Amino acid sequence: MLKKWIAGAMALLMLAAPALGESDEVARLQARVEELEAENAELRQLLSQEESGRLLAARFNGGVVTVSEAKAEYDYQAYYYEQLGMDPDDHEDTIKNEVLSNLTEDAILTLKAQELGVYAPSAEEEAEIHQRAQASLDEMVDYYLAYQSDPDKSDEENRAAVLEFLAGEGTTLESLIESMTAQGWRDRLFEAVTGEMTISEDELRAYYDEACASAEMTYTADPQSYENDRLSGVSVFWNPQGYRRVKRVLIPFSAENAARMQELTAQISGGDEAAISAAVAEMDAIYASLDATVQEVQSRIAAGEDFDALIDAYGADPYLAEGGAGREEGYYVSVGSQLLDPDFVAAAMALSAPGDVSEPIECADGIYLLRYEGDVTPGPVPFETFLEDAEMRASVEDNLRANYYNETVERWLDEAEIVLYPENF
């Protein structure tokens, strides 16, 4: 309506133009039009702000988050807080910040994925998602059928009943497809952002230097964190003083004897002197049942057979098995090790030189023989070693790509000029 009024005013004024200086009149008309357009823009801005005050929880360049969307997510988060034993009212501001942060970021990333052409899955990916979703639903149905199947109903009826139950819990084929599809576009967006990213040796060196300094600070203050990282298979950039590597062949009890050993251990902790004595004698007999195997392993070690091959042939330690975190290097042990059994630590540190093998050592799982693999050079892992270690490099490159992606996302969020209205819900 305002634009029509401006156009009408322009027409009337143009009719009167011959009575005035033509150039002066045109300039005056142009100035008035600009003035009216400015007023119109201001009115629209005020109306937009008024609407935002009632309808929006957030706005950003390219989109909005409605109050209804934010309220639904808030209720979900509040329920989660209740399940953790916390009163949502005491954490209202925190929950609102989480809700608005998550919803705005998700909306902005969705727009970016659409702009880059990676939001929608390809026909091949879509077919794979449907297949995985159906397999996941079938697995859930089979699980519940084992508990909810009615013998008086047919297989089809029982299956329909389970599907109805799952739907009531919010799990359907469509919901699974939606969930898998949502994760898929995020993965494709990550690849679109980082796929052509090149990592220079200077960047690797900078990351390596920072990682070494951080590891030294952490492990010096908390040696147990070093051992925990080693046991977990985490890439380690710096080694403390005084560590050596050991491996073991753990010869296990039979399943029957393992169960009996647990029973006997319980008897020892709560029995009288006679019961304890009898339990200890039986435990000694169970250990003795492994003597022939222990001697066989010792003979093969003495003959120079490969220790890793003996671990595979006789051992029952998953940490040292094929694919285990300690397969290549073994256990990292020092005098002050706290995360390993004291008898294990004492036996490992008693060995004199690399290649030495311990006497048989009894433990809760059987009997084992330790071998001293070598000393750990203290200080940072050499940069050349790092470059040659494909697993360590891959870990670092993954971190650098993740950092680059996160920085890109932060830039997108800044550019979006997000405005939040937490008071609206």
Side-chain angles (χ1 to χ4, degrees), residues 9-10 12-14 16-17 20-36:
M10 282 284 292
L12 290 172
L13 288 171
M14 289 297 291
L20 301 171
E22 185 174 343
S23 61
D24 291 342
E25 181 61 16
V26 170
R28 189 179 73 79
L29 289 173
Q30 288 177 338
R32 182 55 180 156
V33 168
E34 291 174 1
E35 181 182 340
L36 291 171

Side-chain angles (χ1 to χ4, degrees), residues 224-267:
Q224 286 190 37
S225 65
Y226 170 77
E227 294 182 21
N228 187 66
D229 284 350
R230 283 298 189 185
L231 288 170
S232 302
V234 174
S235 295
V236 168
F237 287 84
W238 187 86
N239 296 298
Q241 290 274 359
Y243 277 85
R244 60 177 57 176
R245 297 183 298 105
V246 298
K247 291 184 178 181
R248 69 173 179 173
V249 177
L250 171 59
I251 302 164
F253 299 122
S254 65
E256 181 181 353
N257 282 342
R260 182 55 181 159
M261 286 292 284
Q262 291 182 350
E263 295 173 355
L264 293 170
T265 300
Q267 291 178 19

Side-chain angles (χ1 to χ4, degrees), residues 5 24 44 57 77 91-92 101 106-107 231 258 325 371 402 419 421:
W5 186 88
D24 291 342
R44 289 185 180 279
Q77 293 290 348
H91 303 275
E92 180 178 348
S101 175
D106 187 69
L231 288 170
R371 188 177 74 167
V419 180
Y421 305 99

